Amino acid sequence: MEILTVETTPIAGQKPGTSGLRKKTKVFMGKHFLENYVQSIFDGIGGVEGKSLVIGGDGRYFNERAIQVILRMAAANGAARAIVGQNGLLSTPAASNLIRGRGTDGGLILSASHNPGGPDEDFGLKYNTPNGGPAPESVTDKIFARTESITEYRIAEAQDVDLATVGETSLGDMAIEVVDPVADYAALMEDLFDFGAIRELFQSGFRVRFDAMHAVTGPYATEILENRLGAPEGSVVNGTPQKDFGGGHPDPNPIWAKDLMDVMMGEDAPDFGAASDGDGDRNMIVGRGLYVTPSDSLALLAAQIHLAPGYSAGLKGVARSMPTSAAVDRVAEVKGVSCYATPTGWKFFGSLLDDGRATICGEESAGTGSDHVREKDGLWAVLLWLNILAKTGKSVADLMAEHWAEYGRNYYSRHDYEAVDAGKATAMMDDLRSRLDSLADQEVQGLTVTEASDFSYTDPVTGDTATKQGIAVHFAGGSRVVFRLSGTGTEGATIRVYLERVETDRTRLQEDTQEALAPIIAAADEIAGLKAHTGREAPDVIT
Ligand code: G1P
Ligand code: ZN
């Protein structure tokens, strides 16, 4: 095997975000781009000599080609072992599990999550640390610095590795283990959940529809739900991963998973509906006739998690991103455990999970997970729901109604203004930031502002700080609005407006969400001058 050292020039401005580096696929396919970035990761983590890495992705266009390049570069850089999912497939939570289970020096995950795939769509690559979680900023900063100074990369000249056959092979001195992407993950799920109870539930005629959205969870859901748990064949739909996700957005929300919504709101709806995203870390939960918001799902799961054998000891604590609704906070309060509010992005949960401070965590953006891995985990959330449904014998709607009756209901919605001129979006946030002090005690649209602040966070374990993580305006009675700029958009700026109203009056628990939030929506516009700053009359996406 010949090793080439190729001269290259730095790739300016390619700063990895909370989810690694995301770019148009064609950018990644450009001359030396992928190679530069991979070498920058290797250099940024102190080299890969003698190290072992997990490598896999969500199967999108360019996934396998990129993996072949990464393998040749890992071998050329002296890596000892690569553990690769068969055909290059690994869901993000399964990759996290393999990194932890096999004790590797981290891993490379190829995905642009819920973004569309294809030659004209998106691609992404991120490095996860040995704890299985996304690299913290201290590491991504080093990777970024390297992208700006890199002058050469190392790559082996070799034939493509056979990734279709499970087993051991090698590339030069580097051992390659091609693994069944599902096996270790499915075994972990069997440890955590009461598969016997869920099997009986399906035997009793309970019907489930899992929409894999033509993405990576297809094989996982088919093996676990149909083969191991006995859900009837066909319970998993769109279960074969496709390079372009069937031309859609593999994003599990009522807009992109409209087919599933239609079925679940229809006459002959199954008992339980769920979907996951491109790389399998997000989830959507729908009961017959009822969509469960991610914030409500988090609260319900936290309240009932003890029903799953892997969590019979109860909660150590809970964590949510700051913009996620406070529904889970009241569960933590009742259970007498700590509740942490972190900045947006899964990486902030890592230290809390590592330190045993939180058992379950979640984000309003359809991410839920626990200390079993260091990524959010779509299928895990689905299985925990099924475990709870099996143990209680109740429907999704009954469980939610009882939950709201006990804890109150947090009406919640997110309004997104997409592809806004970046200058205008920043101006809006800066303007709002400059007026925070004067907002307190003001009356806006009949609501009294109790507090307005720019969210900063100090990690209680590492002491790391993060500032300017979103502006939260609280109103008397527990309602609030949060304004934040997205960190993952690829075009202009995306303004996210998170709206929340707490209702404890039992007679008003079943109102329509947007109607229930109307006063907060009006106050949000008045406070931030959304329409005036953006020139937009309404949000582009409401979830
Ligand atoms: C979005 C979500 C955030 C999630 C991230 C990665 O980030 O809001 O909760 O962690 O995607 O999946 P944003 O675009 O808001 O920065
Ligand atoms: Zn994802």
Side-chain angles (χ1 to χ4, degrees):
M1 186 187 76
E2 202 187 333
I3 292 170
L4 305 176
T5 300
V6 183
E7 271 180 40
T8 187
T9 43
I11 43 171
Q14 308 302 328
K15 197 170 172 59
T18 52
S19 320
L21 191 65
R22 294 238 178 106
K23 292 283 152 197
K24 287 289 163 204
T25 311
K26 288 228 166 94
V27 173
F28 265 102
M29 293 174 78
K31 195 160 188 244
H32 299 319
F33 189 94
L34 174 69
E35 292 85 344
N36 270 10
Y37 191 58
V38 171
Q39 188 66 53
S40 299
I41 293 175
F42 290 169
D43 295 348
I45 62 171
V48 293
E49 176 121 42
K51 289 185 179 172
S52 57
L53 293 168
V54 166
I55 302 168
D58 63 12
R60 68 182 58 226
Y61 183 83
F62 194 49
N63 186 60
E64 266 208 68
R65 292 291 346 128
I67 290 177
Q68 294 289 354
V69 170
I70 293 170
L71 287 173
R72 294 210 297 277
M73 290 185 66
N77 279 274
R81 172 173 289 266
I83 300 172
V84 192
Q86 188 181 22
N87 296 318
L89 290 182
L90 279 177
S91 77
T92 292
S96 182
N97 179 46
L98 270 179
I99 293 170
R100 295 166 65 76
R102 301 294 185 91
T104 70
D105 300 287
L108 294 173
I109 302 176
L110 300 86
S111 172
S113 190
H114 49 288
N115 291 4
D120 296 317
E121 302 295 352
D122 293 354
F123 193 79
L125 176 60
K126 74 169 172 175
Y127 168 71
N128 278 29
T129 48
N131 77 341
E137 220 155 280
S138 53
V139 176
T140 53
D141 280 351
K142 287 193 187 131
I143 296 171
F144 175 53
R146 194 64 191 150
T147 61
E148 302 221 298
S149 64
I150 187 170
T151 55
E152 58 182 44
Y153 62 83
R154 291 160 72 77
I155 188 161
E157 268 202 320
Q159 297 290 312
D160 275 1
V161 177
D162 171 15
L163 297 180
T165 314
V166 169
E168 284 266 342
T169 158
S170 64
L171 192 60
D173 292 336
M174 182 176 80
I176 298 178
E177 198 183 331
V178 178
V179 298
D180 172 353
V182 179
D184 286 28
Y185 179 82
L188 174 65
M189 294 301 116
E190 273 202 79
D191 275 352
L192 296 177
F193 300 117
D194 190 337
F195 271 37
I198 304 175
R199 212 173 284 125
E200 274 174 36
L201 181 71
F202 288 140
Q203 268 161 15
S204 74
F206 183 96
R207 288 185 305 142
V208 60
R209 182 182 177 92
F210 180 90
D211 193 335
M213 304 189 86
H214 307 285
V216 79
T217 47
Y220 293 85
T222 306
E223 171 60 20
I224 295 172
L225 296 177
E226 296 186 7
N227 299 350
R228 299 198 185 194
L229 290 169
E233 217 182 298
S235 297
V236 176
V237 298
N238 302 321
T240 307
Q242 288 179 25
K243 287 185 198 310
D244 68 346
F245 308 119
H249 285 234
D251 194 357
N253 62 42
I255 296 154
W256 291 110
K258 189 172 177 304
D259 289 355
L260 177 65
M261 283 299 282
D262 289 348
V263 171
M264 294 308 296
M265 300 303 141
E267 291 243 312
D268 187 34
D271 300 282
F272 183 72
S276 191
D277 72 331
D279 61 328
D281 57 358
R282 294 188 177 199
N283 75 86
M284 168 170 149
I285 302 295
V286 213
R288 186 186 287 146
L290 177 78
Y291 166 70
V292 183
T293 69
S295 293
D296 276 341
S297 176
L298 174 65
L300 186 284
L301 294 179
Q304 309 282 354
I305 198 167
H306 57 276
L307 296 177
Y311 304 91
S312 57
L315 295 170
K316 291 176 188 148
V318 301
R320 64 165 169 91
S321 65
M322 182 276 279
T324 302
S325 99
V328 73
D329 300 31
R330 283 196 305 284
V331 175
E333 208 181 302
V334 169
K335 305 238 175 213
V337 297
S338 300
C339 175
Y340 298 87
T342 61
T344 297
W346 203 261
K347 65 178 181 182
F348 292 100
F349 296 133
S351 57
L352 301 174
L353 296 169
D354 283 348
D355 200 47
R357 289 174 186 246
T359 303
I360 184 170
C361 27
E363 295 193 275
E364 52 68 39
S365 53
T368 330
S370 88
D371 52 6
H372 69 293
V373 288
R374 291 296 178 274
E375 290 278 4
K376 54 197 175 220
D377 188 344
L379 207 45
W380 171 88
V382 171
L383 290 166
L384 179 52
W385 262 99
L386 287 170
N387 192 135
I388 293 165
L389 291 163
K391 284 290 191 185
T392 59
K394 291 176 183 157
S395 68
V396 173
D398 286 348
L399 278 172
M400 284 320 305
E402 285 174 22
H403 184 91
W404 291 328
E406 184 171 353
Y407 297 97
R409 179 170 182 181
N410 290 53
Y411 287 98
Y412 188 84
S413 181
R414 189 177 91 188
H415 290 191
D416 290 338
Y417 295 77
E418 294 181 338
V420 175
D421 175 83
K424 287 183 182 168
T426 315
M428 190 199 90
M429 293 297 282
D430 288 346
D431 172 36
L432 180 57
R433 209 166 264 128
S434 72
R435 290 183 287 111
L436 289 181
D437 288 343
S438 65
L439 277 174
D441 300 328
Q442 267 190 37
E443 284 273 323
V444 190
Q445 301 279 334
L447 298 166
T448 311
V449 176
T450 53
E451 197 197 324
S453 58
D454 199 352
F455 183 56
S456 340
Y457 178 69
T458 302
D459 188 307
V461 183
T462 64
D464 291 350
T465 57
T467 56
K468 296 192 173 181
Q469 295 294 319
I471 295 173
V473 180
H474 297 261
F475 304 104
S479 302
R480 70 165 187 176
V481 54
V482 175
F483 302 90
R484 209 189 130 253
L485 297 186
S486 155
T488 62
T490 42
E491 201 192 337
T494 295
I495 302 172
R496 302 206 194 282
V497 184
Y498 308 83
L499 305 141
E500 179 174 3
R501 196 194 97 198
V502 184
E503 184 57 77
T504 47
D505 178 348
R506 279 169 180 259
T507 62
R508 299 179 58 181
L509 288 174
Q510 305 297 335
E511 259 182 288
D512 171 78
T513 299
Q514 297 303 317
E515 274 168 33
L517 290 171
I520 324 280
I521 295 170
D525 184 47
E526 190 176 323
I527 288 170
L530 273 164
K531 287 179 188 149
H533 275 287
T534 63
R536 303 278 176 89
E537 274 309 304
D540 299 283
V541 181
I542 295 180
T543 47

Short mmCIF file of all heavy atoms in Angstrom, two decimals, residues 18-19 22 113-114 281-282 321 344-346 363-365 376 414 484-489 494 496 498, ligand 1:
data_model
loop_
_atom_site.label_atom_id
_atom_site.label_comp_id
_atom_site.label_asym_id
_atom_site.label_seq_id
_atom_site.Cartn_x
_atom_site.Cartn_y
_atom_site.Cartn_z
N THR A 18 -22.62 22.95 15.88
CA THR A 18 -23.00 21.99 16.90
C THR A 18 -23.14 20.58 16.33
O THR A 18 -23.07 19.61 17.04
CB THR A 18 -24.36 22.36 17.54
OG1 THR A 18 -25.31 22.56 16.49
CG2 THR A 18 -24.28 23.60 18.36
N SER A 19 -23.35 20.49 15.01
CA SER A 19 -23.55 19.17 14.42
C SER A 19 -22.46 18.84 13.42
O SER A 19 -22.70 18.17 12.42
CB SER A 19 -24.91 19.12 13.72
OG SER A 19 -25.87 19.78 14.48
N ARG A 22 -21.59 21.08 8.01
CA ARG A 22 -22.68 20.83 7.06
C ARG A 22 -22.51 21.74 5.88
O ARG A 22 -22.40 22.96 6.04
CB ARG A 22 -24.03 21.14 7.70
CG ARG A 22 -24.37 20.23 8.81
CD ARG A 22 -25.67 19.51 8.57
NE ARG A 22 -25.88 18.62 9.69
CZ ARG A 22 -26.78 18.84 10.65
NH1 ARG A 22 -27.60 19.87 10.56
NH2 ARG A 22 -26.89 18.00 11.64
N SER A 113 -28.24 15.10 8.96
CA SER A 113 -29.45 14.92 9.78
C SER A 113 -30.74 14.91 8.97
O SER A 113 -30.92 14.09 8.09
CB SER A 113 -29.48 15.99 10.87
OG SER A 113 -30.49 15.73 11.79
N HIS A 114 -31.62 15.88 9.23
CA HIS A 114 -32.94 15.93 8.62
C HIS A 114 -32.93 16.70 7.30
O HIS A 114 -33.98 16.86 6.67
CB HIS A 114 -33.90 16.59 9.59
CG HIS A 114 -33.34 17.87 10.12
ND1 HIS A 114 -32.30 17.90 11.02
CD2 HIS A 114 -33.62 19.16 9.83
CE1 HIS A 114 -31.97 19.15 11.28
NE2 HIS A 114 -32.76 19.94 10.58
N ASP A 281 -31.67 10.29 14.92
CA ASP A 281 -31.61 10.79 16.30
C ASP A 281 -32.85 11.58 16.71
O ASP A 281 -33.09 11.77 17.89
CB ASP A 281 -30.32 11.60 16.55
CG ASP A 281 -30.14 12.77 15.60
OD1 ASP A 281 -30.99 12.94 14.70
OD2 ASP A 281 -29.13 13.50 15.75
N ARG A 282 -33.64 12.03 15.74
CA ARG A 282 -34.86 12.77 16.11
C ARG A 282 -36.06 11.82 16.13
O ARG A 282 -36.03 10.76 15.53
CB ARG A 282 -35.14 13.88 15.11
CG ARG A 282 -34.10 14.97 15.14
CD ARG A 282 -34.52 16.15 14.28
NE ARG A 282 -33.53 17.22 14.39
CZ ARG A 282 -33.75 18.48 14.07
NH1 ARG A 282 -34.92 18.86 13.60
NH2 ARG A 282 -32.80 19.39 14.21
N SER A 321 -33.06 21.81 26.72
CA SER A 321 -32.48 23.05 26.22
C SER A 321 -33.38 24.19 26.68
O SER A 321 -34.59 24.00 26.86
CB SER A 321 -32.38 23.02 24.69
OG SER A 321 -33.65 22.99 24.10
N THR A 344 -29.09 25.53 23.40
CA THR A 344 -29.54 24.63 22.34
C THR A 344 -28.37 23.82 21.77
O THR A 344 -27.30 24.35 21.55
CB THR A 344 -30.17 25.49 21.22
OG1 THR A 344 -31.32 26.15 21.78
CG2 THR A 344 -30.59 24.65 20.04
N GLY A 345 -28.61 22.54 21.53
CA GLY A 345 -27.57 21.67 20.97
C GLY A 345 -27.26 20.53 21.93
O GLY A 345 -27.09 20.75 23.13
N TRP A 346 -27.24 19.31 21.38
CA TRP A 346 -27.11 18.13 22.24
C TRP A 346 -25.80 18.09 23.00
O TRP A 346 -25.71 17.51 24.09
CB TRP A 346 -27.28 16.85 21.39
CG TRP A 346 -27.71 15.71 22.24
CD1 TRP A 346 -26.92 14.73 22.75
CD2 TRP A 346 -29.04 15.47 22.72
NE1 TRP A 346 -27.67 13.88 23.52
CE2 TRP A 346 -28.97 14.32 23.53
CE3 TRP A 346 -30.27 16.12 22.57
CZ2 TRP A 346 -30.09 13.79 24.16
CZ3 TRP A 346 -31.38 15.60 23.19
CH2 TRP A 346 -31.29 14.44 23.98
N GLU A 363 -34.89 18.20 23.64
CA GLU A 363 -35.00 19.51 23.02
C GLU A 363 -36.34 19.60 22.32
O GLU A 363 -36.88 18.59 21.85
CB GLU A 363 -33.90 19.71 21.99
CG GLU A 363 -32.51 19.74 22.56
CD GLU A 363 -31.52 20.25 21.52
OE1 GLU A 363 -31.04 19.44 20.72
OE2 GLU A 363 -31.26 21.45 21.51
N GLU A 364 -36.83 20.83 22.19
CA GLU A 364 -38.11 21.04 21.51
C GLU A 364 -38.05 20.64 20.04
O GLU A 364 -39.07 20.44 19.41
CB GLU A 364 -38.57 22.49 21.65
CG GLU A 364 -37.55 23.56 21.25
CD GLU A 364 -37.24 23.61 19.78
OE1 GLU A 364 -38.18 23.45 18.98
OE2 GLU A 364 -36.06 23.80 19.43
N SER A 365 -36.83 20.51 19.49
CA SER A 365 -36.67 20.19 18.08
C SER A 365 -36.68 18.69 17.82
O SER A 365 -35.95 18.20 16.97
CB SER A 365 -35.36 20.80 17.59
OG SER A 365 -34.30 20.39 18.44
N LYS A 376 -28.95 12.17 20.93
CA LYS A 376 -30.38 11.94 21.04
C LYS A 376 -30.69 10.69 20.24
O LYS A 376 -29.91 10.28 19.38
CB LYS A 376 -31.17 13.15 20.57
CG LYS A 376 -30.84 13.64 19.19
CD LYS A 376 -31.36 15.06 19.01
CE LYS A 376 -30.93 15.62 17.66
NZ LYS A 376 -30.53 17.03 17.73
N ARG A 414 -43.23 26.72 17.96
CA ARG A 414 -42.06 27.44 17.47
C ARG A 414 -42.39 28.04 16.11
O ARG A 414 -42.89 27.34 15.24
CB ARG A 414 -40.87 26.50 17.35
CG ARG A 414 -39.57 27.24 17.05
CD ARG A 414 -38.40 26.29 16.99
NE ARG A 414 -38.18 25.80 15.65
CZ ARG A 414 -37.33 24.83 15.33
NH1 ARG A 414 -36.64 24.22 16.27
NH2 ARG A 414 -37.18 24.45 14.09
N ARG A 484 -34.21 33.51 19.12
CA ARG A 484 -32.88 32.92 18.93
C ARG A 484 -32.57 32.83 17.45
O ARG A 484 -33.47 32.63 16.64
CB ARG A 484 -32.94 31.50 19.51
CG ARG A 484 -31.68 30.95 20.04
CD ARG A 484 -31.79 29.47 20.39
NE ARG A 484 -30.66 28.84 19.77
CZ ARG A 484 -30.71 28.06 18.70
NH1 ARG A 484 -31.85 27.75 18.15
NH2 ARG A 484 -29.62 27.58 18.20
N LEU A 485 -31.31 32.98 17.09
CA LEU A 485 -30.92 32.75 15.70
C LEU A 485 -30.42 31.32 15.57
O LEU A 485 -29.63 30.86 16.40
CB LEU A 485 -29.82 33.73 15.28
CG LEU A 485 -30.17 35.22 15.27
CD1 LEU A 485 -29.01 36.03 14.69
CD2 LEU A 485 -31.44 35.49 14.46
N SER A 486 -30.87 30.64 14.53
CA SER A 486 -30.44 29.26 14.31
C SER A 486 -28.95 29.20 14.02
O SER A 486 -28.38 30.10 13.39
CB SER A 486 -31.21 28.69 13.12
OG SER A 486 -30.48 27.65 12.51
N GLY A 487 -28.33 28.10 14.47
CA GLY A 487 -26.91 27.90 14.17
C GLY A 487 -26.70 26.85 13.10
O GLY A 487 -25.57 26.48 12.81
N THR A 488 -27.77 26.31 12.53
CA THR A 488 -27.60 25.23 11.56
C THR A 488 -28.07 25.58 10.15
O THR A 488 -27.92 24.78 9.24
CB THR A 488 -28.38 23.96 11.99
OG1 THR A 488 -29.76 24.29 12.06
CG2 THR A 488 -27.91 23.46 13.34
N GLY A 489 -28.66 26.75 9.97
CA GLY A 489 -29.20 27.10 8.66
C GLY A 489 -28.09 27.20 7.60
O GLY A 489 -26.93 27.41 7.93
N THR A 494 -31.96 32.24 10.13
CA THR A 494 -33.28 31.75 10.54
C THR A 494 -33.53 32.27 11.95
O THR A 494 -32.73 32.04 12.85
CB THR A 494 -33.33 30.21 10.54
OG1 THR A 494 -33.17 29.75 9.20
CG2 THR A 494 -34.67 29.71 11.07
N ARG A 496 -35.70 32.00 15.16
CA ARG A 496 -36.63 31.08 15.81
C ARG A 496 -37.30 31.81 16.97
O ARG A 496 -36.62 32.44 17.80
CB ARG A 496 -35.91 29.85 16.34
CG ARG A 496 -35.15 29.06 15.27
CD ARG A 496 -35.02 27.60 15.70
NE ARG A 496 -34.05 26.86 14.92
CZ ARG A 496 -34.26 26.38 13.68
NH1 ARG A 496 -35.41 26.60 13.06
NH2 ARG A 496 -33.32 25.70 13.06
N TYR A 498 -39.79 31.01 20.05
CA TYR A 498 -40.36 29.91 20.83
C TYR A 498 -41.41 30.48 21.76
O TYR A 498 -41.12 31.37 22.56
CB TYR A 498 -39.28 29.23 21.66
CG TYR A 498 -38.04 28.79 20.89
CD1 TYR A 498 -37.01 29.69 20.61
CD2 TYR A 498 -37.88 27.48 20.48
CE1 TYR A 498 -35.86 29.29 19.94
CE2 TYR A 498 -36.72 27.06 19.81
CZ TYR A 498 -35.72 27.98 19.55
OH TYR A 498 -34.59 27.58 18.89
C1 G1P B 1 -31.43 22.91 15.52
C2 G1P B 1 -32.32 22.70 16.72
C3 G1P B 1 -31.49 22.20 17.90
C4 G1P B 1 -30.72 20.95 17.51
C5 G1P B 1 -29.90 21.22 16.25
C6 G1P B 1 -29.21 19.96 15.76
O1 G1P B 1 -30.46 23.90 15.81
O2 G1P B 1 -33.00 23.87 17.07
O3 G1P B 1 -32.34 21.95 18.99
O4 G1P B 1 -29.87 20.55 18.55
O5 G1P B 1 -30.76 21.71 15.21
O6 G1P B 1 -30.12 18.94 15.45
P1 G1P B 1 -30.64 25.45 15.37
O7 G1P B 1 -30.86 25.48 13.88
O8 G1P B 1 -31.84 25.97 16.09
O9 G1P B 1 -29.36 26.11 15.82
#
